[in-house]
Amino acid sequence: METSTTSSRAFLAGEAGEAAPLGTLERGLYLLGLFSTERPEWTLRELREESQLPKATVRRLMLTLERLGWVEQDVAGNYALGPRMLQSLYAKTSASVLVSEARPYLERLAQSTTESALLSVWGHEGTLSLDLVTTERHFKPFTSAGMVVHGLMSADAKVLVAFAPEMLWDARYASLSQAMPAGVTVDSMRAKWREVRAAGVAFDNEEWKPGVCAVAAPVLGADGFVLASISLVIPSERGGKQELERYAAAVRDAAAALSRVHIERNQALGMTPDDGDSQG
């Protein structure tokens, strides 16, 4: 009996060695479809063996996908999905339960502070902005829903790493080490992430972008690990110590309230922490 995998491989190979008119597109999509939460990384050899496509074909397709941002290759030669995939998935993500649940909290946070409120999750090269509520103030954040904020220095990135399982810290630093400011090491970042965990909040004092400050807090799942971050993004002229402390309290309260609502909803539906809810 022919399995679906065997059928897919035969389809990719084409009939009598001839590719269908859309063969290149179909084969590229097939390779992208191999990436999953259970198998987020593949080497070129593994992709070739799984697809049974010629080595030259797999190499050419992966080079094209990498050039266009659909996949990325690390220094060890492992491929993973790239930022273009995250951005394309925004339309799906924006309709998710978490985004719907978070929207009222973002709106209330923006209204009470008169600053822009942002919801983010961890992406492959930094944070992925899921939703943004702005105010009538002149200042607008240098981000938008669906945008990947690269690096580890933003308030959201600090929170999303700090409250992820500690076993992931070194890997997340390594994946973005080339973009780190001079003098910032993995040890100094690990110390910073521990400070963020202890404080329950992270600050960005123009570290991501000059003229922009931010404060972020984690939205946690029932397992205690991070699902997302809520932040306020503000201009540096309103980012004094007293203002940031006031904003921190508001952000922390909003994130904690959203965490409770999300956990209670999942419990009511019979979901557990093992259902893959957290960003860890």
Side-chain angles (χ1 to χ4, degrees):
M1 180 177 179
E2 186 180 51
T3 66
S4 59
T5 301
T6 303
S7 178
S8 296
R9 289 170 177 168
F11 170 76
L12 287 171
E15 295 295 334
E18 296 294 330
L22 294 179
T24 299
L25 174 61
E26 291 160 348
R27 293 172 185 183
L29 291 174
Y30 175 82
L31 292 176
L32 285 177
L34 294 177
F35 294 87
S36 66
T37 54
E38 293 79 17
R39 189 70 185 276
E41 294 184 345
W42 292 78
T43 65
L44 194 67
R45 178 179 178 179
E46 290 168 341
L47 289 167
R48 185 175 73 249
E49 292 175 349
E50 178 66 24
S51 66
Q52 296 186 6
L53 290 170
K55 178 179 179 180
T57 298
V58 175
R59 182 183 297 276
R60 183 180 70 252
L61 289 170
M62 296 308 292
L63 285 174
T64 299
L65 292 170
E66 184 178 13
R67 176 172 56 82
L68 296 175
W70 292 103
V71 299
E72 294 177 324
Q73 188 178 30
D74 63 22
V75 293
N78 298 308
Y79 284 99
L81 295 177
R84 283 288 297 274
M85 179 64 72
L86 293 173
Q87 294 166 20
S88 296
L89 288 173
Y90 168 68
K92 172 66 175 176
T93 308
S94 65
S96 71
V97 171
L98 180 60
V99 174
S100 299
E101 289 174 342
R103 184 70 184 191
Y105 294 92
L106 296 179
E107 291 176 344
R108 287 196 289 270
L109 186 60
Q111 183 178 17
S112 65
T113 63
T114 68
E115 303 291 357
S116 298
L118 180 68
L119 178 73
S120 303
V121 295
W122 182 255
H124 191 62
E125 285 192 329
T127 65
L128 173 64
S129 304
L130 295 185
D131 199 7
L132 174 67
V133 176
T134 59
T135 69
E136 294 181 355
R137 285 187 184 253
H138 176 72
F139 172 81
K140 296 294 184 287
F142 293 89
T143 186
S144 58
M147 174 179 169
V148 175
V149 178
H150 297 276
L152 295 168
M153 302 311 292
S154 71
D156 290 297
K158 292 173 187 175
V159 160
L160 290 168
V161 176
F163 286 89
E166 193 166 346
M167 67 176 64
L168 300 177
W169 287 5
D170 287 357
R172 291 191 175 173
Y173 176 89
S175 68
L176 295 166
S177 59
Q178 294 181 346
M180 298 301 289
V184 178
T185 66
V186 64
D187 290 335
S188 64
M189 287 306 299
R190 287 177 68 87
K192 171 59 67 176
W193 293 326
R194 290 192 181 97
E195 291 177 7
V196 170
R197 272 194 177 183
V201 68
F203 297 97
D204 171 7
N205 291 294
E206 301 185 78
E207 297 162 83
W208 174 63
K209 184 176 288 292
V212 179
C213 294
V215 56
V219 179
L220 302 175
D223 56 4
F225 293 126
V226 67
L227 304 174
S229 64
I230 287 181
S231 60
L232 285 174
V233 186
I234 57 182
S236 56
E237 61 264 26
R238 296 199 294 272
K241 183 176 181 180
Q242 289 185 339
E243 288 88 348
L244 288 178
E245 289 297 333
R246 177 170 60 86
Y247 292 140
V251 171
R252 192 185 293 111
D253 289 346
L258 177 57
S259 299
R260 289 192 297 271
V261 167
H262 190 76
I263 291 171
E264 289 171 359
R265 175 193 171 276
N266 283 356
Q267 290 175 340
L269 294 174
M271 297 177 64
T272 71
D274 294 330
D275 291 329
D277 199 28
S278 75
Q279 287 280 301

